[in-house]
Amino acid sequence: MLSDRSRPVIEATLPVVADHIGEIAERFYAHLFGAHPELFDGVFNRGNQAEGTQQVALAGSVAVFAGALVQTPEQVPERLLSRIAHKHASLGITPAQYDVVHEHLFWAIADVLGDAVTPEVAAAWDEVYWLMAYALINQERGLYSARGVRPETVWREWEVAERFDETPDVVTFRVRRVDDRLVKTSLPGQYVTVQVLMPDGVHQPRQYSLTRADDGEHRQFSVKRVRGGDKPDGEVSNHLCDRVGVGDRLRMSLPFGDVVLDDSGRPVVFASAGIGITPMAGMLSHLAAAGSHLPVTLLHADLDEESFALREQVLTDVRRLPGGTVHTWYERGAHSTLPVDSVHAGVMDLDAVDLPEGAVYVLCGPLPFMRAVRSALLDRGVPARDVQYEVFGPDLWQADSQTEPSPQAAHAGSA
């Protein structure tokens, strides 16, 4: 809980900090990596750094956290903290690394804002940072403990047993264990961090959803090739798609992720766009493997049917579920050769389908897509607590500010 002394200081200075988030983040990371270049090996993704998304993500999450404390002093933004804690655990983050981040982040704030950072302002933001840090450290300690690991032992090597093309831009990897450690079953919807050894000898991390239920020996994930256009191509995704084949070894974390399948026994509606199908595929695989009788509806939007990754697996699993239905939307026209229940042209329109009463909803896709779908669901009277959403990559800090805006969080999210 934020102290009464610090709350008015944070409220007064939050707009200034939010307006300078980009510059603070840039100075912070330059200073951090100057002192700790080893963090580029396995912890920070340098592609996100080059693009600038990861830079804003960390500083932005602190600003969003501060805004939430000002708006609701008696509680913390649990959803944001849970997302970050699971991602940190999948990277093996340690408590000591929070001290390192604190040192360089507060140097950057003072460097950018100058004389505006009075001792009173510095003390208030220091309180915010450590409230957030200790909340995350405690959550991450619990995640490690529940899995019987330490930060340094979340990793193990796997061997690629199969790889196959889903679409021209998506490749699925099926890996098998190569040691005697048991494969702890993942929860439906979770992801792993893959640490890829790049040609220059540096490990680069990237999270990928598990797209099939574990069988005790294997895990499966799918990779979309990131084509940068006017930005650099995705380093990890292109390396995996172009250079990693059957027999190669990959270093992967234990499964983490807080957006998992609801076990309340209520109908489930999955709504995805593009590569957002991956966590849905994992959940559907778990349901099919368990012989579930839950009423399940899959809504998926894509460019066209050929771009619909994992479509054969997904359709097979849905058809194994009694009463399971699939509805698709394609930007390039309502053409389908798959046995779907309906196909539509354009973007997803919930008014085009009948949705079950009392359902829980899971969304995954670009943030604008999730915001539009969530807004449409709330307009229909679906309670906000019944809508979950998975966020990929460094966008996770923005998810609440863009799908559940509050005045302070929205201000920080627009910085």
Side-chain angles (χ1 to χ4, degrees), residues 300-362:
H300 182 71
D302 228 311
L303 290 175
D304 52 33
E305 186 171 278
E306 293 303 308
S307 303
F308 185 171
L310 295 156
R311 56 188 179 274
E312 299 292 346
Q313 174 187 319
V314 164
L315 263 293
T316 298
D317 286 337
V318 170
R319 294 308 174 212
R320 291 172 60 190
L321 302 172
T325 60
V326 180
H327 306 272
T328 57
W329 284 258
Y330 298 132
E331 292 182 24
R332 294 173 178 166
H335 309 293
S336 178
T337 62
L338 297 172
V340 297
D341 294 274
S342 69
V343 58
H344 311 270
V347 299
M348 187 175 293
D349 177 9
L350 299 186
D351 291 333
V353 296
D354 293 326
L355 299 177
E357 293 291 331
V360 292
Y361 293 81
V362 183

Side-chain angles (χ1 to χ4, degrees), residues 92-108:
I93 296 299
T94 67
Q97 288 172 314
Y98 284 91
D99 292 297
V100 174
V101 167
H102 175 270
E103 174 189 349
H104 296 279
L105 179 60
F106 277 73
W107 175 89

Side-chain angles (χ1 to χ4, degrees), residues 38-258:
E38 72 278 3
L39 292 176
F40 261 138
D41 189 5
V43 177
F44 287 94
N45 182 285
R46 58 191 177 191
N48 288 339
Q49 288 293 318
E51 191 177 330
T53 50
Q54 178 65 50
Q55 292 186 8
V56 179
L58 190 151
S61 67
V62 175
V64 170
F65 181 81
L69 291 182
V70 169
Q71 187 182 31
T72 56
E74 70 283 356
Q75 56 185 275
V76 296
E78 294 291 350
R79 189 175 301 200
L80 174 67
L81 292 176
S82 180
R83 285 199 193 99
I84 295 174
H86 276 266
K87 184 171 182 180
H88 282 182
S90 80
L91 290 164
I93 296 299
T94 67
Q97 288 172 314
Y98 284 91
D99 292 297
V100 174
V101 167
H102 175 270
E103 174 189 349
H104 296 279
L105 179 60
F106 277 73
W107 175 89
I109 291 173
D111 186 60
V112 171
L113 300 184
D115 293 341
V117 185
T118 64
E120 182 184 39
V121 170
W125 279 95
D126 189 71
E127 182 181 345
V128 167
Y129 177 85
W130 285 113
L131 281 172
M132 183 174 180
Y134 287 135
L136 289 170
I137 288 169
N138 287 334
Q139 286 200 30
E140 289 154 23
R141 183 181 294 118
L143 291 172
Y144 293 137
S145 176
R147 288 155 179 78
V149 296
R150 302 181 304 278
E152 63 270 22
T153 60
V154 300
W155 306 100
R156 67 191 292 180
E157 280 203 335
W158 298 73
E159 183 178 273
V160 178
E162 298 176 77
R163 63 160 283 166
F164 41 91
D165 294 337
E166 298 284 352
T167 75
D169 281 334
V170 178
V171 176
T172 289
F173 294 89
R174 188 162 173 78
V175 298
R176 61 175 164 236
R177 65 175 184 167
V178 294
D179 55 33
D180 293 330
R181 293 170 60 188
L182 291 177
V183 178
K184 292 192 175 182
T185 304
S186 62
L187 296 177
Q190 290 191 310
Y191 58 78
V192 293
T193 292
V194 181
Q195 266 192 6
V196 180
L197 182 61
M198 306 307 294
D200 62 358
V202 173
H203 290 89
Q204 285 292 278
R206 184 66 94 180
Q207 285 77 39
Y208 294 107
S209 296
L210 294 170
T211 52
R212 191 182 289 275
D214 302 333
D215 64 4
E217 295 289 333
H218 300 84
R219 287 211 163 112
Q220 177 179 298
F221 63 94
S222 301
V223 178
K224 180 177 181 179
R225 184 191 300 273
V226 177
R227 300 185 187 277
D230 57 347
K231 299 177 181 179
D233 290 342
E235 184 180 21
V236 173
S237 66
N238 280 275
H239 181 87
L240 286 168
C241 291
D242 292 338
R243 301 191 181 189
V244 175
V246 173
D248 288 336
R249 297 285 183 93
L250 291 173
R251 192 180 192 216
M252 288 168 37
S253 75
L254 290 172
F256 289 96
D258 64 329

